[in-house]
Amino acid sequence: MAGVEVMVASAVVKEAIRGLAAAAGGPMAKLWRSCKADLEDMRSTLSLLEAGFRDAEQRSGSEEGVRVWLGQLKAVARDISAVLDQPPPPPWKVFAKLSLVNKIEELKEKLKVVEEKRRIFGFSLYNSAINENVVAKRETVACMDDEFTIVGWSGERDEIIRLLLQSEENLTIIPIVGLGGIGKTTLAKLVFSDSRMQDFEGKAWIHVSQKFHLGRIGKAIVSQFEGTADDFDDLQSLYNQLEIISSGKRCLIVLDDLWENDIELLRKLKLMLRCGKKGSMIHVIVTTRNKEIAQEMSTLGSYKLGPLSDDNCWDVFKEISF
């Protein structure tokens, strides 16, 4: 459940950050002299706390104190959003104005306490060097490990394959959405490597990761379809080349571990995937933890992956034990 706690805390904090940014530029900032500075200071602190989420996610599974800290941060962020949702009182309502000012001051102090505890835990803050290390550890490939026995997901695999093979649309996207570690990538691998999918004329497996880059995704698709993508330094060239190499073909693409939730970027991604001319059929599987990402990307409905059945869990236990 550690991954769930981090995801929920991250969503709540992001909402509070957006609320503080809006409040700092609105009527709330004029409640008292230092209000705008206080709101911006709180937003900066929350952004810093959010930068430690990746480290917190790795440690929350084994450290009870980290899970408690995440709960405290989530509670403060929710309280901030609740206060910001209230319309600022008119100037003549002095007591209401003072009450709101006191609430914000109180939340500011609570946020400072949470920030001090972050320093005690010593969470590593997200930066480019840390990100490269995380990406390297998380990066996936399409091939299956022969040393491991895959238990479960055969019914889910068959259903996704059926949906893909039945679709005759120019672009078909089926997101597999579920909690971290539940088996989304494994299920995507089972579909990608299934003998029924070997007739596709172009196949590409791209690990997207938290560091989203549209050009890198496009180059990876071109490279795996054609063998090279070194000559394309701009998106339009990639779009043109993708249109050429997918023309009249049936292609399968897996975008594994998609985190980007910017709607505009996701729409640009779908536009790039829809590049094939008439007669092309681009089938895409997306794995993500985020329901909103799945809803935005889907063209055929999302596939929500739940936990293994009790019988499958028992099979896993026997496999490991004996």
Side-chain angles (χ1 to χ4, degrees), residues 107-120:
L107 289 170
K108 184 180 175 183
E109 292 304 314
K110 286 183 177 180
L111 195 57
K112 284 183 179 179
V113 172
V114 176
E115 162 62 9
E116 289 171 1
K117 290 182 179 179
R118 181 199 68 79
R119 296 176 183 274
I120 294 172

Side-chain angles (χ1 to χ4, degrees), residues 6 9-10 13-14 17 41-57 69-70 72-74 76-77 80 107-108 110-121 123-126:
V6 175
S10 178
V13 168
K14 283 180 185 296
I17 291 172
D41 182 55
M42 292 169 71
R43 183 176 66 85
S44 177
T45 301
L46 274 177
S47 298
L48 184 65
L49 292 171
E50 187 189 23
F53 275 172
R54 289 169 177 79
D55 191 19
E57 180 177 15
W69 178 82
L70 284 169
Q72 293 171 344
L73 173 58
K74 182 173 63 176
V76 175
I80 289 172
L107 289 170
K108 184 180 175 183
K110 286 183 177 180
L111 195 57
K112 284 183 179 179
V113 172
V114 176
E115 162 62 9
E116 289 171 1
K117 290 182 179 179
R118 181 199 68 79
R119 296 176 183 274
I120 294 172
F121 282 115
F123 293 129
S124 298
L125 299 183
Y126 173 79

